[in-house]
Structures are given as C-alpha cells and as structure tokens.
Amino acid sequence: MGKRESLQALAPRLRLPALPQVVARINAMLGDRECGPQEIGRVVGSDPGLTARVLRIANSSVYGLQEQVVSTEQAATVIGVRSLRNLVLQASIARRYEHLSERGAMDMEALWEHAMEVARLAQMLGTAMRRETALAPDEFHTCGLLHDLGKAVLLDSLGDDYGDLLVGARDAQRALHHVEAEQLGFSHVDVGALLSRRWGLPREVAQAVAFHHGPLRQVLEQPHVAAVAVADQLAYRACGGGLDEAASQLAHVALRTLDITPQAFERVVEASRERWRDGQVA
C-alpha cells in the first residue's frame, strides 16, 4: 500500500483541527484596508485565555522586545499584524493540544519551543535569500510553526498506538519519520502537509512541511523547502549539540539553494547559537 492509500485508509481516525476562527478572521481583516493594527489587536484581545498565551509568547526571548507589551493592540503595533497572526496561530495550536501533555509520550513544551525556533530561523533565511519565492518572510515563519504539527495530530488521533511508536523510535534512536513510514505507511510531515492544504495555506507552505526531511532533490530544488529544512537542522543541532559541524554541512545547501551570502548565513547560525544554551531556550 502506497503513502497516499495508507493516509486515506487512516483518514477516518485523524482528527484534523479546523483553522482557528480568530486566525481566519485576522486573515480576512488583513485584506481590508480599513482595518488597522488596533482593530486586529482588539479581535485577539476579546479572548482572555488566548490573550494571555499571546502576550506570554510576545514577551518571551523569541521576539527580543525592548519593553514588555501589555495588550494585544500594543503587540499588533510593535511586532506587526502579520507577526501577531502567526503568534495567535501558535497560541491557538498550543491551546488546542494542551491536553496531550498528560499522556507523557511527547514533551509538548519542547515541541512548541522547537517550532517557534524553526519559525524564527526560517523567517531569517527567507528574508536573507536572494532567489525568487512565492512566500513572504512571515509565511516562512508559518512553515516553521507547522512543520512538526503532524506529531500532535497523530498523538491526538491515535492515542497510545502513536505513543508506543514514539517510545519505540526514541528507544531505538531512530528517526521518527522513518519509523512512522514503516508502521503507518506515512509520516507526521504528510499529516502536516494535509492540514496545511485543508487550511487553504499557500501550496509552498504544504511543500515546505512535507519535504523538510527530504528527499534531498526537493530540498535542493525548492528554496522554501530548503529554508525550513536548514532551520530545522540548525535548531535541532543548537539544542542537542554539533551545531558547528551541522552548520558547515548546511552552508552548502543554504548558499546554493537560497542564494544568501555567507555572512547572512553565519548571522542565522549565530542567532541559533545565542538562543540555545545547554538545551534550553535562552
């Protein structure tokens, strides 16, 4: 059975979340010239629980703000409405899957921290690249946020069956997407790409999610895929060790596929190095 058939066979068990309503509303408002940062900020601020999450992320070291923001209206003005939308998307996803922390099979906080770091680095790479691409820098950020979301969807949908798969891959020290492909017929990147398409996101977002683990041909031929693949590896290595060795290997991909300068790539590497210390977000 092929990947598509395996995914279709399991589809009835997959609980794919809808695009958060507040994100859909922000998307609509972004296309309305009469809606400014204050109006968009007020939409987010109408949900107290979401507001608390959004402000916590906005005031984290990820954004490096000089002063703390105390309202979503202020956040919209300081970081921009598109960055606020991505921040709301992250907060909404984390809230949707917060119950999974109780299962213990996956460290959800580590998953979200990694997603935010990959999003940040992917946006830096997207901003620095000189090749033409259909994605704006904030959309590279979206790619990073969603690149591993399929893991949460699978754990939520398959429960202990997927939990056992996670434990087995970890104990065997094998790449998770390889074990998923063997046991499920597809992997979390396929689920993430499917979700991106369901949400009506640009085709390139789904591609970046689907191929950030390869095959290499997709990485080398498509700059939006390469940006997320490189960002993912930099974030992983910065946290787990071996950043300098990985950066040396990834520089070839970044310079060839993204057409960024060596200096720009080194700035991304240094940003990753500064963010992580001993496996913790700085």
Side-chain angles (χ1 to χ4, degrees):
M1 184 182 295
K3 180 190 297 185
R4 179 175 298 180
E5 291 77 16
S6 297
L7 192 55
Q8 288 176 340
L10 202 57
R13 292 181 64 189
L14 292 180
R15 297 192 291 191
L16 296 174
L19 180 69
Q21 289 186 352
V22 64
V23 177
R25 189 172 177 188
I26 291 174
N27 285 339
M29 295 176 75
L30 287 173
D32 185 346
R33 293 183 178 181
E34 296 185 3
C35 291
Q38 295 300 308
E39 289 80 7
I40 293 175
R42 279 195 288 272
V43 167
V44 180
S46 64
D47 183 330
L50 183 63
T51 295
R53 287 180 177 272
V54 165
L55 293 179
R56 185 164 64 248
I57 298 172
N59 288 316
S60 71
S61 59
V62 171
Y63 283 89
L65 300 181
Q66 297 299 314
E67 298 181 7
Q68 283 203 337
V69 292
V70 297
S71 70
T72 51
E73 291 95 329
Q74 183 187 8
T77 301
V78 173
I79 68 174
V81 291
R82 292 185 178 275
S83 291
L84 178 63
R85 176 191 56 188
N86 279 330
L87 203 155
V88 170
L89 178 60
Q90 170 67 19
S92 299
I93 291 170
R95 181 166 67 173
R96 166 68 175 79
Y97 291 110
E98 62 184 351
H99 65 282
L100 295 181
S101 298
E102 301 173 0
R103 289 188 177 275
M106 183 186 297
D107 185 340
M108 300 306 296
E109 283 300 316
L111 182 69
W112 305 140
E113 287 177 356
H114 176 72
M116 285 195 294
E117 180 66 355
V118 173
R120 185 178 74 98
L121 297 178
Q123 183 165 351
M124 290 182 68
L125 290 167
T127 301
M129 79 165 59
R130 296 180 293 188
R131 283 191 61 180
E132 277 193 29
T133 175
L135 297 183
D138 63 276
E139 291 173 317
F140 280 94
H141 194 280
T142 302
C143 294
L145 288 180
L146 301 181
H147 81 288
D148 274 347
L149 183 56
K151 295 178 183 179
V153 174
L154 285 168
L155 183 58
D156 184 52
S157 301
L158 305 183
D160 291 340
D161 289 342
Y162 187 68
D164 291 342
L165 185 154
L166 287 170
V167 173
R170 191 159 53 237
D171 289 347
Q173 296 184 330
R174 297 187 60 203
L176 177 61
H177 61 284
H178 289 319
V179 178
E180 290 169 334
E182 290 175 2
Q183 297 192 22
L184 302 176
F186 58 89
S187 74
H188 64 275
V189 300
D190 302 306
V191 175
L194 175 61
L195 184 60
S196 299
R197 292 191 292 270
R198 291 278 182 92
W199 284 359
L201 299 178
R203 177 186 62 178
E204 290 80 7
V205 173
Q207 290 173 337
V209 172
F211 300 122
H212 74 271
H213 286 313
L216 183 60
R217 177 178 59 83
Q218 296 283 356
V219 176
L220 294 178
E221 291 179 357
Q222 303 185 78
H224 48 282
V225 176
V228 177
V230 170
D232 179 53
Q233 284 301 305
L234 287 177
Y236 173 72
R237 294 298 182 181
C239 177
L243 176 61
D244 291 335
E245 179 183 355
S248 177
Q249 297 171 349
L250 293 168
H252 173 71
V253 176
L255 302 183
R256 169 183 169 181
T257 308
L258 305 180
D259 189 25
I260 67 175
T261 67
Q263 294 80 8
F265 181 69
E266 182 55 37
R267 284 194 292 271
V268 177
V269 174
E270 187 58 31
S272 182
R273 181 180 290 110
E274 290 176 355
R275 186 65 61 186
W276 293 86
R277 288 292 183 270
D278 300 324
Q280 297 294 323
V281 174

